[in-house]
Amino acid sequence: MSIDMETARRVAKLARIRVEEDQLPALAGEFNAILGFVEQLSEVDVEGVEPMTSVTPQRLKRRVDVVNDGSQQDKVLANAPDAREGFFAVPKVVE
Amino acid sequence: MSDLNKLTIAGARDALRKGEVTAVELTSACLTAIEGADALGAFVHKTPDVANDMAVAADARIKSGDAPAMCGIPLGIKDLFCTKGVASQAGSRILEGFKPQYESTVTSNLFGSGAVMLGKLNMDEFAMGSSNETSCYGNAINPWRRDGSDADLTPGGSSGGSASAVAADLCLAATGTDTGGSIRQPAAFTGIVGIKPTYGRVSRWGVVAFASSLDQAGPMTKTVRDSAIMLSAMSGHDAKDSTSADLAVPDFEAMLTGDIRGKKIGIPKEYRMDGTPAEIEKLWAAGADMLRDAGAEIVDISLPHTKYALPAYYVIAPAEASSNLARYDGVRYGHRATLDAGEGIDDMYEKSRAEGFGHEVQRRVMIGTYVLSAGFYDAYYNRARKVRTLIKKDFEDVFATGVDAILTPATPSAAFGIGEMTDADPIQMYLNDVFTVTVNLAGLPGVSVPAGLDAQGLPLGLQLIGKPWEEGELLNIAHTLETATGFVSKPAKWW
């Protein structure tokens, strides 16, 4: 399966990474090299094989449904690029 | 005592307990060594003041008679671990200036047992790389050089700074992390020991996530004994990591009996690959002979799906990375791009991530996005997860026949030159992990042990793979191999 420029552009958009137009052909080429390499997986007979969900056979632990954390607004905001009045600030989202 | 930075953990521990040396003296020796080693690019955030305070506290603790094995031991910490109030950037521009408000469980366990932090260590960006060349800090350099050459070599990756620092005696040991070989490959390239524990043995909480179903932290040390001591201190159940195993942590050091009589060691035929240098084949055979001489039984085994491990990894790891790295959006922490007039929130995401992530990280995030996207999820991601099931089953079938551990080469070559792979296809770089990546996919423990030097004077390692939760037995076999090879070489100091 070959990735064209249009697909590369779409993937970059989905990943929310800006890629300039003139970089798209090179990117598509790299995708094709890697996807060509993983194409070998289609040789494997996986009929009836379950996809792995957990590498160690374990059941995830449950905890009591109680509030056990919080009241750390200053710490939560400490590394924010733009925090104002106790909130994360972002550009306008809704017109 | 002189050259205190050259001590092992075990040696320093014994000297500290006898009062022959103080943690402050040990720490000072390491800080001096670090100051003189900027050419190695290993330490990227130095924390001498933190180190001195921790050393003073450790000395008080030792004096009071309450001294766990790691008390007063100066360590380097990979930049991937969140350390409270100390820069933790995962080698990425996107986390420039980030100072965690909390401590990772691993560093918390280590510091709780009295270990001293000397600073943060260089690494490939988000642990994606095998040469430490994708770091935002610049390259880490291997203290080893080819005989008669002054060309800089890579210490491997992604834990390149950790490997370089331990091999050059800048610290007594270091933390590393391993998603596809990132502890074992750099350990092999620098002549040190590194173990990736069973998935779930060590908590991932506070370790910047790359591929969550594969990531495990582990020690990188000068000897197998040191790995045993440090792994005991790092391990343990953690309610903050839902995949952390609720199992008692054995005293791994006490399991180093040196007795491996009757143990069955498997030699997988699929690890004999075209293009592997004859020296590595020879070293592998010699390692098997040494284990046989120590009383083990050597058996030929087959792991039929081995060749599909790297392709499966290069679907699963990027898929998980694309999801994990979605959090770097320029909102809560890390880099936010400057916006032009009229640009909105999508522009902020796209520009921040384009400016903050390096090329290899961008490539993997986008590959991951593609294999998870509608229409390709089954063909790539689900198929890779099915192949992963088969790879794990290969190992289960072998262990079911009574095999206790598996011996393989650690890497397909010795350390290569900085820049040598720059123009190569990315697949060439990925092949570095061909012997190690199966172990992450199967969730097993694997240890790299230095086993000899190649014709150019560079270290080569062998890998031992163990059964789940049997790190103690695995380290005992590794200890026997280490004793038999008698590897004691150190790089000649040029930095």
Side-chain angles (χ1 to χ4, degrees):
Chain A
M1 192 168 318
S2 182
I3 302 240
D4 55 17
M5 283 234 327
E6 186 46 44
T7 311
R9 187 183 292 114
R10 188 173 59 83
V11 170
K13 181 76 192 168
L14 278 174
R16 297 291 186 273
I17 296 175
R18 177 144 316 167
V19 178
E20 301 303 333
E21 275 298 306
D22 60 347
Q23 300 296 316
L24 284 173
L27 186 66
E30 289 174 4
F31 286 172
N32 282 320
I34 295 167
L35 293 171
F37 175 64
V38 306
E39 202 57 53
Q40 299 171 62
L41 293 176
S42 60
E43 299 165 12
V44 186
D45 180 5
V46 294
E47 190 62 38
V49 178
E50 282 296 310
M52 184 182 286
T53 49
S54 170
V55 73
T56 46
Q58 65 176 179
R59 194 185 144 89
L60 290 184
K61 287 203 166 225
R62 293 174 183 185
R63 65 168 179 84
V64 182
D65 186 14
V66 292
V67 177
N68 59 9
D69 202 352
S71 304
Q72 303 191 43
Q73 193 183 43
D74 53 336
K75 287 186 178 176
V76 170
L77 294 172
N79 281 294
D82 189 1
R84 296 178 213 167
E85 298 166 40
F87 294 93
F88 294 110
V90 295
K92 192 157 75 173
V93 177
V94 181
E95 291 299 328
Chain B
M1 289 177 122
S2 63
D3 292 341
L4 294 176
N5 50 307
K6 294 185 177 168
L7 288 174
T8 60
I9 293 175
R13 171 194 60 187
D14 298 347
L16 283 164
R17 286 180 177 171
K18 284 187 206 149
E20 294 168 354
V21 63
T22 65
V24 169
E25 289 165 347
L26 269 174
T27 300
S28 158
C30 290
L31 291 172
T32 304
I34 292 166
E35 275 314 308
D38 283 348
L40 295 174
F43 276 87
V44 290
H45 298 286
K46 301 171 189 171
T47 57
D49 296 340
V50 174
N52 280 318
D53 290 349
M54 292 172 97
V56 167
D59 279 330
R61 208 165 150 183
I62 292 164
K63 210 168 226 174
S64 76
D66 159 41
M70 292 299 292
C71 194
I73 305 295
L75 301 177
I77 303 296
K78 189 177 182 180
D79 199 36
L80 203 65
F81 293 84
C82 286
T83 43
K84 192 172 178 180
V86 174
S88 307
Q89 276 184 242
S92 180
R93 257 201 83 195
I94 210 160
L95 278 172
E96 203 170 328
F98 177 64
K99 294 216 172 138
Q101 303 293 304
Y102 53 87
E103 191 72 46
S104 81
T105 297
V106 164
T107 46
S108 204
N109 287 349
L110 288 169
F111 302 155
S113 68
V116 171
M117 175 170 72
L118 296 164
K120 303 300 282 287
L121 293 165
N122 207 345
M123 56 178 285
D124 278 297
E125 184 179 10
F126 286 105
M128 297 181 192
S130 301
S131 64
N132 211 115
E133 289 170 294
T134 70
S135 166
C136 73
Y137 305 114
N139 299 329
I141 307 295
N142 196 326
W144 292 84
R145 286 176 160 177
R146 294 182 185 120
D147 288 339
S149 162
D150 60 1
D152 283 340
L153 303 181
T154 171
S158 67
S159 308
S162 304
S164 175
V166 174
D169 290 314
L170 309 186
C171 50
L172 271 57
T175 58
T177 63
D178 190 316
T179 303
S182 283
I183 286 177
R184 292 159 287 156
Q185 182 252 21
F189 276 12
T190 55
I192 66 168
V193 177
I195 178 168
K196 182 203 89 73
T198 312
Y199 184 81
R201 174 66 86 185
V202 173
S203 170
R204 293 180 296 105
W205 194 80
V207 184
V208 174
F210 163 13
S212 304
S213 78
L214 302 160
D215 299 343
Q216 268 292 288
M220 298 176 72
T221 62
K222 298 173 190 176
T223 65
V224 172
R225 180 173 300 279
D226 283 4
S227 274
I229 296 169
M230 187 163 157
L231 181 59
S232 286
M234 291 170 75
S235 301
H237 177 246
D238 179 12
K240 294 197 287 268
D241 172 2
S242 63
T243 59
S244 153
D246 196 355
L247 290 174
V249 179
D251 177 350
F252 294 122
E253 189 188 10
M255 298 170 84
L256 305 180
T257 60
D259 183 2
I260 62 161
R261 283 173 298 173
K263 295 290 178 198
K264 218 181 209 187
I265 310 292
I267 308 291
K269 66 173 185 204
E270 290 80 6
Y271 284 58
R272 285 201 183 89
M273 294 188 181
D274 291 343
T276 304
E279 285 174 304
I280 289 179
E281 295 278 358
K282 214 175 122 193
L283 188 79
W284 188 15
D289 287 342
M290 288 174 201
L291 293 175
R292 187 186 290 113
D293 291 344
E297 182 191 348
I298 307 296
V299 293
D300 288 323
I301 59 166
S302 173
L303 299 164
H305 293 90
T306 299
K307 77 174 272 211
Y308 301 108
L310 265 181
Y313 177 85
Y314 275 97
V315 173
I316 292 168
E320 294 187 23
S322 76
S323 171
N324 273 325
L325 271 59
R327 72 190 68 183
Y328 304 102
D329 55 5
V331 176
R332 288 156 297 163
Y333 35 71
H335 176 72
R336 178 186 288 192
T338 306
L339 298 184
D340 296 330
E343 288 188 320
I345 194 157
D346 270 330
D347 299 294
M348 184 191 80
Y349 296 147
E350 292 181 1
K351 284 175 79 174
S352 299
R353 290 161 66 79
E355 291 172 6
F357 290 146
H359 188 70
E360 179 65 21
V361 172
Q362 292 191 21
R363 180 159 60 202
R364 293 204 203 183
V365 166
M366 287 190 271
I367 285 284
T369 303
Y370 179 76
V371 300
L372 290 176
S373 64
F376 301 104
Y377 187 93
D378 266 326
Y380 288 108
Y381 184 61
N382 266 343
R383 175 166 282 268
R385 290 196 303 141
K386 288 176 185 177
V387 172
R388 188 176 178 189
T389 299
L390 294 172
I391 288 165
K392 183 172 179 236
K393 187 173 176 297
D394 283 354
F395 284 100
E396 287 169 345
D397 291 347
V398 161
F399 290 134
T401 66
V403 166
D404 295 291
I406 296 165
L407 181 72
T408 79
T411 58
S413 74
F416 49 90
I418 296 284
E420 250 170 47
M421 302 277 256
T422 311
D423 298 327
D425 187 296
I427 308 297
Q428 290 306 311
M429 185 68 95
Y430 297 171
L431 288 172
N432 266 287
D433 292 334
V434 68
F435 298 132
T436 48
V437 74
T438 51
V439 176
N440 301 76
L441 289 167
L444 302 171
V447 60
S448 173
V449 182
L453 299 178
D454 73 0
Q456 296 183 297
L458 297 179
L460 293 170
L462 289 173
Q463 172 180 240
L464 282 157
I465 303 168
K467 293 180 284 192
W469 316 114
E470 298 289 349
E471 290 90 346
E473 178 175 60
L474 180 66
L475 286 165
N476 186 36
I477 299 168
H479 177 62
T480 307
L481 183 64
E482 176 187 50
T483 309
T485 63
F487 184 90
V488 287
S489 305
K490 297 290 284 184
K493 188 170 185 301
W494 53 264
W495 57 92

